[in-house]
Amino acid sequence: MTTSVSATPEKHTPTTDSLIRPVSLLSSIEKRSASLPTDDLVDETEEQFSWTKSIFRRKQMFSRDLDAIATRRSVFDDPGLAQYYWPNKDYENLHRFDPTARWTYREEKALVRKLDWKIMLMAAIAFSALNLDRSNISQANSDSFLQDIELTTDDFNLGNTVFLLAFLCAELPSQLVSKRIGPDRWIPTQICLWSFVSLSQFWLTGRTSFLVCRAFLGVLQGGFIPDLILYLSYFYTKTELPMRLALFWMSENFVAILASFIAYGVLHMDGVAGIAGWRWLFIIEGILTLLIGIFCFFNMPPSPTQTKAWFRPKGWFTEREEIIMVNRILRDDPSKGDMHNREGLTLRRLWTAVCDYDLWPIYILGLMFGIPNSPPSTYLTLLLTNIGFNTFDTNLLTIPSLAIGIITMFWITLVSESVNERTIVSMMMDLWTLPFLVALYALPSNPNPWIFFAVATGLLSYPYTHPIQVGWCSRNAGAVASRTVNASLYNMFVQVSGIVSAQIYVASDAPRYQRGNRTLIIICCVNICILYPATKAYYIWRNRQRAKIWDAMTTEERAHYLSTTKDVGNRRLDFRFAH
């Protein structure tokens, strides 16, 4: 049963004393809570089902009472246990925390829409800068790039490996810097720094300068994706984040399409001022991403309650909106109040996160899931050129798979959240890929160019499940400190995947790479038949282990455990792993 509210719920602003002694504030709130009904709160499963159902059944979404209470039930509604989940006294949003706050679907819907325009859009623009500077090497490869600086295919592979190794080594250090100074400062700094390196590729002269630039780009871009994910987690709930991450990576495909059109035009500048087209491509796109980095400095606020600045005196959100933002986030995940957003990680917390063996199944998936698609994707422009398409047609022919990929990525993420399933749905990427790899392997030595294009396009239109797995890793981390490190570790395994992938298509196997395709088919089968089923079985087993202990406890025993345990995040007995 839902309860309509016609007036704004009572607000509560903690005093200075309450910030120092949160338990005393809890006592005062408990008294107020006694008169507040809790049967109108939304359970987590009910909220998720309503959200996904509303996507598929638009009539039900519009028929919902928008003035009904949208506040989700949480541990803060249990007077006996709430104090053990209270935010840290240094939490930057504590002055807006109020467990008695209630809000409506109308208010939440308007706020999330505002967050999407203010926060998500800016994150997508920042991500586009990364993708623009990462993809231009592929477009340059469709021109005379390799020939002009006397590189072989193996040199190109080595450059990709150097980039990924540098990217890998920079992941954790980047996260430590980001957590200390804040992702709102570090992300724009990263973009500006790597933009200078990217545009400097205009002056590449040979193998050495190529490898040095790839190394610097890897160091400066390492950790960028986990930084952005951490930043978005400050504003979105765990049920909202996966869809935003899908939009996040959909923007990658959109940028790749845009980059193809840019490359088509810029590569026609070949010979202008006696300069090769690929050189113009590097410097033009480098300047463009530098402008994006500067723009980010002024449009990435540190947290929901810190949007005011000298150039934005009124901020983005009202006090009411800040209260809703903070409380909906903490009700969804109380661990987000454990740390200040500019609080660095201690070596102990870092080591604890690294040793979290319960997340290693997801790391292993991060290592393996993308390998079957990576070599064909990296070499698509070269493969199309080798089979008879010219430079300009090749760049345009990459667009169909990117466009279809946007649709399949959104669809697979929507399915995952709709059925509340991650393991089996993530496996769909490899199930999609396998028949196309077999077809690619079975093609004759001199296939019809358009048949080859059709098979390659089908293969690369796969439903990209990386957003699902990133959100999955973030959810299973269970705490801000571990989430920061675990996101980096997951991404490090993804980068190792790229290093492995770069060794599968080798010059001795050109131009059809039959041995490489046979290897990709084997890896794809291992993912489908072993890794994904084993991961699901592991998390089901771990949850049953914990439920057996936790469910046997009395309320007093649970309170004693929460008040005395040193377990944090996903080590706690009350934590359940998503799968």
Side-chain angles (χ1 to χ4, degrees), residues 557-576:
E557 288 173 332
R558 291 180 181 180
H560 179 264
Y561 168 80
L562 294 173
S563 64
T564 59
T565 184
K566 294 184 179 179
D567 295 336
V568 295
N570 63 13
R571 312 313 299 169
R572 292 164 59 119
L573 287 175
D574 57 339
F575 183 88
R576 298 294 177 268

Side-chain angles (χ1 to χ4, degrees), residues 505-563:
Y505 279 7
V506 295
S508 60
D509 196 23
R512 291 293 317 285
Y513 304 104
Q514 291 294 76
R515 293 197 309 272
N517 288 331
R518 185 166 58 246
T519 301
L520 296 180
I521 291 171
I522 294 171
I523 293 173
C524 201
C525 291
V526 170
N527 291 346
I528 295 169
C529 300
I530 300 175
L531 295 185
Y532 280 104
T535 298
K536 188 168 187 67
Y538 175 78
Y539 284 130
I540 291 174
W541 173 69
R542 288 292 283 153
N543 286 344
R544 286 177 178 172
Q545 271 190 323
R546 293 185 177 185
K548 185 177 181 180
I549 300 172
W550 183 257
D551 293 346
M553 289 182 175
T554 64
T555 302
E556 292 75 17
E557 288 173 332
R558 291 180 181 180
H560 179 264
Y561 168 80
L562 294 173
S563 64

Side-chain angles (χ1 to χ4, degrees), residues 51 72 112 116 119-120 123 225-226 228-249 328-329 332-333 336 413 417 466-475 483 487:
W51 179 81
R72 292 173 55 175
V112 172
D116 287 340
I119 303 300
M120 182 61 213
I225 294 174
L228 265 180
I229 294 170
L230 175 66
Y231 180 73
L232 288 174
S233 72
Y234 293 160
F235 298 89
Y236 291 103
T237 67
K238 64 175 177 281
T239 56
E240 294 166 344
L241 189 58
M243 284 306 304
R244 269 68 191 180
L245 292 178
L247 295 173
F248 200 57
W249 268 279
R328 67 193 291 271
I329 288 296
D332 175 73
D333 185 355
K336 291 183 179 179
T413 308
E417 288 304 303
H466 188 46
I468 298 173
Q469 295 185 178
V470 170
W472 185 11
C473 181
S474 177
R475 183 178 298 193
R483 184 176 293 119

